[in-house]
């Protein structure tokens, strides 16, 4: 347990709030471990039908601990190596990056709510979600080139999928800061609203997502994720299997009857 990640649950929506507002919710090992524990558990919990990730205070997440990076660089520069081991560090970072894979692949919708700065790995985590809502004046940046780093947490993959190769390269190379409003125009976020309206809009949207046919959404995500890298034939095969599987759900049966009766369907996620 840690107070660096607050977990709440209501109405089928699990909300994870990164909670270091004094540091713009910059990631620590403790926070990363908490995220890595929470996401697989929420993915497997049948009561959870949507997952929201956000940040406490006025920020989403400022990314990694740059002060810590500086201390490590000073240590290596002093000649003692600081216990640096490339392979071990890469393995550790790869394991931490599973947070992004869980947000991208879990069989239920994930939503990033961005009240303020989202930078570096923080932006990558937001990009890993299915959907994003940002305050219009929130500041988003890849940030990595400003501190001589290449990037992590899948941001290069997700940003390329969202905006295309050329724009993703521009945003990574320059580390330009864009607003939530500009991110909406680029297709990086799905909604941008005044900061005063963010909580209400995000809450309504999360509840809407939690009310969808969860099993079908899970298979839909598998189709859409495969469509980014697979051949048409592979996606057609997956769609056929998943379509037949979802025809067998209670949600489909009740929705089909509601359609015939001209009633609004109510989904229960099974």
């Amino acid at each position: 347990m840690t107070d660096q990640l607050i977990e709440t649950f209501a109405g089928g929506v699990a909300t994870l709030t990164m909670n270091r507002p004094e540091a713009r919710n910059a990631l620590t090992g403790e926070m990363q471990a908490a995220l890595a524990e929470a996401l697989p558990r929420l993915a497997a919990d049948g009561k959870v039908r949507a997952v929201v990730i956000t940040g406490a205070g006025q920020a989403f997440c400022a990314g990694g601990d740059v002060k810590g990076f500086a201390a490590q660089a000073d240590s290596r520069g002093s000649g003692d190596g600081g216990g640096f081991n490339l392979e071990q560090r890469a393995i550790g970072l790869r394991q931490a990056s599973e947070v992004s894979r869980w947000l991208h692949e879990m069989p239920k919708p994930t939503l990033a709510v961005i009240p303020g700065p989202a930078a570096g790995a923080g932006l990558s985590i937001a990009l890993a979600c299915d959907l994003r809502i940002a305050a219009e004046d929130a500041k988003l940046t890849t940030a990595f080139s400003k501190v001589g780093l290449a990037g992590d947490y899948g941001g290069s993959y997700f940003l390329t999928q969202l905006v295309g190769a050329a724009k993703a390269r521009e945003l990574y190379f320059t580390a330009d800061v864009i607003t939530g409003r500009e991110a909406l125009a680029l297709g990086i976020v799905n909604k941008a609203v005044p900061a005063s309206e963010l909580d209400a809009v995000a809450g309504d949207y999360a509840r809407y997502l939690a009310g969808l046919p969860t099993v079908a959404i899970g298979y839909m995500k598998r189709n859409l994720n495969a469509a980014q890298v697979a051949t048409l034939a592979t996606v057609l095969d997956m769609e056929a299997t998943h379509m037949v599987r979802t025809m067998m759900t209670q949600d489909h049966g009740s929705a089909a009857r509601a359609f015939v009766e001209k009633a609004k369907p109510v989904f229960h996620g099974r």
Side-chain angles (χ1 to χ4, degrees), residues 84-136:
F84 184 83
N85 181 292
L86 173 60
E87 287 75 18
Q88 291 176 357
R89 290 282 300 281
I91 290 170
L93 180 55
R94 176 61 185 86
Q95 290 173 339
S97 300
E98 281 290 285
V99 164
S100 293
R101 188 179 68 80
W102 277 107
L103 287 167
H104 185 61
E105 294 184 0
M106 74 165 63
K108 51 195 68 175
T110 57
L111 173 67
V113 179
I114 307 171
L123 177 61
S124 298
I125 288 171
L127 297 177
C129 293
D130 297 311
L131 301 163
R132 286 154 292 284
I133 298 179
E136 290 178 335

Side-chain angles (χ1 to χ4, degrees), residues 213-220 223 236 238-257 267 270:
T214 313
V215 176
I217 294 298
Y219 283 114
M220 197 178 294
N223 294 343
L236 290 173
M238 291 181 67
E239 285 184 341
T241 299
H242 295 161
M243 189 70 168
V244 173
R245 169 66 186 89
T246 53
M247 286 177 177
M248 300 166 64
T249 62
Q250 292 181 29
D251 278 343
H252 167 68
S254 62
R257 288 189 292 273
F267 298 112
R270 55 183 180 268

Side-chain angles (χ1 to χ4, degrees), residues 192-213:
V193 301
S196 61
E197 300 175 15
L198 181 63
D199 287 347
V201 172
D204 287 346
Y205 201 32
R207 285 186 288 272
Y208 166 77
L209 294 173
L212 295 174

Side-chain angles (χ1 to χ4, degrees), residues 13-250:
V13 179
T15 300
L16 298 174
T17 302
M18 295 174 283
N19 186 41
R20 295 185 67 224
E22 74 286 353
R24 295 192 300 174
N25 305 314
L27 295 168
T28 65
E30 186 175 334
M31 187 188 295
Q32 290 169 326
L35 285 166
E37 184 281 327
L39 289 170
R41 172 170 48 78
L42 296 175
D45 189 339
K47 298 187 299 296
V48 175
R49 298 181 59 191
V51 174
V52 171
I53 186 164
T54 189
Q58 302 303 309
F60 180 76
C61 175
D65 179 6
V66 178
K67 291 182 179 178
F69 296 158
Q72 293 167 5
D74 289 344
S75 178
R76 292 193 294 273
S78 69
D80 64 10
F84 184 83
N85 181 292
L86 173 60
E87 287 75 18
Q88 291 176 357
R89 290 282 300 281
I91 290 170
L93 180 55
R94 176 61 185 86
Q95 290 173 339
S97 300
E98 281 290 285
V99 164
S100 293
R101 188 179 68 80
W102 277 107
L103 287 167
H104 185 61
E105 294 184 0
M106 74 165 63
K108 51 195 68 175
T110 57
L111 173 67
V113 179
I114 307 171
L123 177 61
S124 298
I125 288 171
L127 297 177
C129 293
D130 297 311
L131 301 163
R132 286 154 292 284
I133 298 179
E136 290 178 335
D137 59 355
K139 302 294 193 297
L140 289 71
T141 175
T142 59
F144 296 109
S145 70
K146 294 294 178 66
V147 289
L149 294 174
D152 58 5
Y153 275 76
S156 53
Y157 174 87
F158 298 119
L159 193 59
T160 298
Q161 298 291 343
L162 288 168
V163 302
K167 192 65 180 179
R169 281 163 168 75
E170 176 188 330
L171 291 171
Y172 261 81
F173 293 172
T174 64
D176 284 345
V177 176
I178 61 174
T179 65
R181 191 180 297 106
E182 292 169 324
L184 176 64
L186 288 170
I188 295 173
V189 302
N190 303 88
K191 297 177 184 289
V193 301
S196 61
E197 300 175 15
L198 181 63
D199 287 347
V201 172
D204 287 346
Y205 201 32
R207 285 186 288 272
Y208 166 77
L209 294 173
L212 295 174
T214 313
V215 176
I217 294 298
Y219 283 114
M220 197 178 294
K221 283 184 64 168
R222 291 178 65 179
N223 294 343
L224 293 166
N225 289 346
Q228 296 178 319
V229 294
T231 64
L232 173 60
T234 297
V235 174
L236 290 173
D237 289 343
M238 291 181 67
E239 285 184 341
T241 299
H242 295 161
M243 189 70 168
V244 173
R245 169 66 186 89
T246 53
M247 286 177 177
M248 300 166 64
T249 62
Q250 292 181 29

